[in-house]
Amino acid sequence: MGRKSLDSLKEEHHKSGDDAEKFIFQPTFMAEQQTPKHPILKKYAFVEPTPVPGTDVIFKGLFPKQINALERIARTKDRDGMIIALTLGGGKFLISMLAPLVKESKRCVLIVPAKLYEQTHQYYLSWIPVIPELANANITIVSTGEMSSAKFVDFLDSYQPDMLIIDECQDFKNRDSARSKRLKRYLDKYRPTLILLTATLFTKSFKDLWLSQYISQRKFLPTGAIYVDVYDD
């Protein structure tokens, strides 16, 4: 997603007047490559081409965009967070898997779309032989469907994750849905580190970004920053 589309989002937001004064739209672009500092990122920045079992992926090292995003996550303060908007195929999976490791999370919950739940589990297992540290990630994967289920009404409160990662966060665009209300209650009560991932920053309206507006208002993001991928690869 380039600067032009983000500028148009910002313009729409101000025209809509929906909490316009409360949300600070200040994207930071990840175009420059950083030298990895975290040990895990240093280790996997450049590797010999390695097949990922059960997939057609050949791992040659982390993308610069993944390293940049994960370095930022490693530096986030507790009870803080960020929004990462990446183009399709931009490497969100490894960001979501490595984030709990670089942040040293004790209990991380990754929320994924229901249609990707089984695939995410299988993909995670496929990547462990390639990045063995993933086996030590304290991560629990749940689906958006489970988040809407009556059986999961007390899941977050019972498990009390210190880190929440939401893949395809635009799936929470309806602030009145059961899963959105449960999420908001937990955020209000416990303030975990919160990472939002998306390849579709919004669908029809800037109001779809209520969750990013919410965390900015609650000072999860001191600058209201949105870290955006501008790579063409």
Side-chain angles (χ1 to χ4, degrees):
M1 180 177 295
R3 295 178 185 269
K4 182 177 179 181
S5 55
L6 281 170
D7 287 341
S8 64
L9 277 176
K10 185 176 180 180
E11 181 180 355
E12 179 195 338
H13 176 54
H14 284 291
K15 286 182 179 178
S16 71
D18 181 47
D19 295 329
E21 297 302 321
K22 298 180 181 179
F23 182 58
I24 306 170
F25 196 94
Q26 186 178 335
T28 298
F29 294 86
M30 298 190 296
E32 69 284 353
Q33 182 171 358
Q34 298 179 1
T35 301
K37 297 179 181 178
H38 193 281
I40 290 178
L41 304 183
K42 282 184 178 180
K43 181 177 179 180
Y44 294 106
F46 304 100
V47 299
E48 291 295 323
T50 306
V52 179
T55 77
D56 57 0
V57 175
I58 304 296
F59 181 55
K60 301 178 181 179
L62 295 169
F63 298 147
K65 69 188 89 175
Q66 293 172 317
I67 292 173
N68 292 354
L70 287 164
E71 287 284 9
R72 293 179 186 275
I73 291 172
R75 295 197 301 268
T76 57
K77 298 178 181 179
D78 292 339
R79 298 159 61 93
D80 203 345
M82 67 178 64
I83 308 158
I84 302 175
L86 294 172
T87 52
L88 188 63
K92 291 191 289 93
F93 173 79
L94 280 183
I95 291 175
S96 66
M97 291 291 119
L98 290 172
L101 291 174
V102 301
K103 188 67 176 109
E104 298 182 354
S105 168
K106 295 181 176 62
R107 291 180 305 279
C108 176
V109 167
L110 168 62
I111 302 174
V112 301
K115 63 183 179 181
L116 298 179
Y117 178 75
E118 293 296 335
Q119 177 183 321
T120 302
H121 271 280
Q122 294 171 4
Y123 217 43
Y124 166 69
L125 294 174
S126 296
W127 273 92
I128 290 178
V130 181
I131 304 179
E133 289 86 349
L134 289 177
N136 298 321
N138 298 312
I139 189 167
T140 298
I141 304 170
V142 302
S143 72
T144 52
E146 288 173 319
M147 284 293 295
S148 301
S149 169
K151 294 181 180 180
F152 269 66
V153 65
D154 295 320
F155 166 70
L156 292 178
D157 286 283
S158 298
Y159 188 59
Q160 291 191 23
D162 58 7
M163 185 177 199
L164 276 172
I165 303 173
I166 305 180
D167 187 19
E168 302 298 346
C169 62
Q170 72 276 3
D171 285 353
F172 284 79
K173 65 181 181 179
N174 181 3
R175 69 185 77 189
D176 296 320
S177 68
R179 61 186 177 221
S180 293
K181 289 180 178 179
R182 291 170 186 173
L183 178 63
K184 183 177 180 297
R185 282 197 299 269
Y186 187 79
L187 295 176
D188 280 339
K189 188 174 182 179
Y190 293 102
R191 298 287 295 275
T193 299
L194 179 62
I195 307 296
L196 305 180
L197 298 171
T198 182
T200 308
L201 195 56
F202 80 125
T203 51
K204 296 181 180 179
S205 168
F206 207 96
K207 294 179 181 180
D208 294 348
L209 284 174
W210 76 268
L211 185 54
S212 57
Q213 293 180 359
Y214 170 82
I215 61 177
S216 182
Q217 293 165 27
R218 291 291 190 269
K219 302 187 185 302
F220 270 89
L221 303 175
T223 62
I226 298 180
Y227 300 101
V228 182
D229 161 42
V230 291
Y231 288 91
D232 293 326
D233 57 12

